[in-house]
Amino acid sequence: MSNFEYLKEQFPNISRSATKAEQQVLISPEASAVLGRSALEQAVIWMYENELSLSFPYKDTLSSLIHERSFRDIIGYSLFQEIRLIKDIGNNGAHGKRVSSYEATSSIKNLFRFLSYLGTYYGEPELRAPSFDMAYIPDGQEVKRTKKEIQASLQLLRFTG
C-alpha cells in the first residue's frame, strides 16, 4: 500500500513516481528527495498541459514553472512554499548534499498535500485523499526480516533434504 494509491487510476505515472519516493524516505533519504522532486515536476507539467489558464514560461525548468505568477495564483501561497521545499530538498539530493530522513519525510508529506490538491481540483470525478499514514513508509527492516526468513527456510530445507 501507499499514501498515493488513490491517484493510481487517474494519474498513474505521478502515483508511481510518488510511491517510489515514499518507499525510500527512511531507507535512502537522498533518493527519496530526488524521486519526490521528479514526481512534483511530473504533476506541475501535467497542470500546465491541462489547466487552460496556464502557459509554459520562457524556461521550462521546474523552478520557472512553479515561480510563474499564474501558477502561484492558482495554488496559493502556502502550497507554493511546500512545493518549493520539495524542489529544494530534491535539488540537494541530486547534487550530493546530505538529506536527512526528517527532510525526506517533510518533502513526502508536502508532495502528498500537493498531489491531494491535484486530485481534488483536477480528478474526474474529484479524488478525495485519505489521511497521510506514516505506516506506509517502509523503515528498511523488511529486508532484514525477509533475509532471516529465507535463511530459516534454507536451514529447514537442509535438515529435511
Side-chain angles (χ1 to χ4, degrees):
M1 267 314 269
S2 166
N3 284 297
F4 302 99
E5 187 78 21
Y6 73 100
L7 295 166
K8 194 174 181 177
E9 284 188 33
Q10 292 190 43
F11 302 96
N13 294 334
I14 296 169
S15 173
R16 187 173 23 262
S17 294
T19 298
K20 287 178 183 177
E22 177 184 53
Q23 292 170 346
Q24 297 299 315
V25 168
L26 299 176
I27 298 166
S28 177
E30 288 85 3
S32 175
V34 172
L35 292 166
R37 184 194 180 286
S38 177
L40 170 66
E41 189 165 6
Q42 289 174 0
V44 169
I45 289 171
W46 186 95
M47 282 184 65
Y48 271 89
E49 291 173 344
N50 293 278
E51 171 59 55
L52 297 176
S53 65
L54 292 176
S55 298
F56 281 94
Y58 69 100
K59 286 176 69 177
D60 64 355
T61 65
L62 180 57
S63 185
S64 295
L65 295 172
I66 67 171
H67 283 90
E68 179 66 30
R69 167 69 64 198
S70 57
F71 181 81
R72 288 192 342 235
D73 288 346
I74 289 172
I75 65 167
Y77 178 79
S78 179
L79 197 51
F80 170 73
Q81 294 301 325
E82 292 179 9
I83 66 173
R84 199 177 75 183
L85 184 70
I86 299 166
K87 177 192 72 68
D88 292 345
I89 292 171
N91 286 349
N92 287 344
H95 295 292
K97 294 182 182 174
R98 184 180 180 284
V99 174
S100 70
S101 57
Y102 175 80
E103 290 171 312
T105 301
S106 295
S107 182
I108 208 70
K109 286 180 176 179
N110 288 348
L111 180 63
F112 180 80
R113 281 190 286 280
F114 179 64
L115 295 181
S116 296
Y117 169 90
L118 186 76
T120 298
Y121 290 99
Y122 296 97
E124 293 184 22
E126 176 181 320
L127 297 174
R128 291 283 178 190
S131 296
F132 186 86
D133 189 346
M134 281 296 291
Y136 292 141
I137 297 180
D139 62 4
Q141 297 303 312
E142 298 83 5
V143 174
K144 290 179 184 176
R145 285 192 293 272
T146 303
K147 281 184 179 178
K148 285 182 183 178
E149 291 169 5
I150 291 171
Q151 288 172 343
S153 296
L154 288 173
Q155 285 290 68
L156 185 61
L157 286 173
R158 286 187 192 132
F159 289 122
T160 59

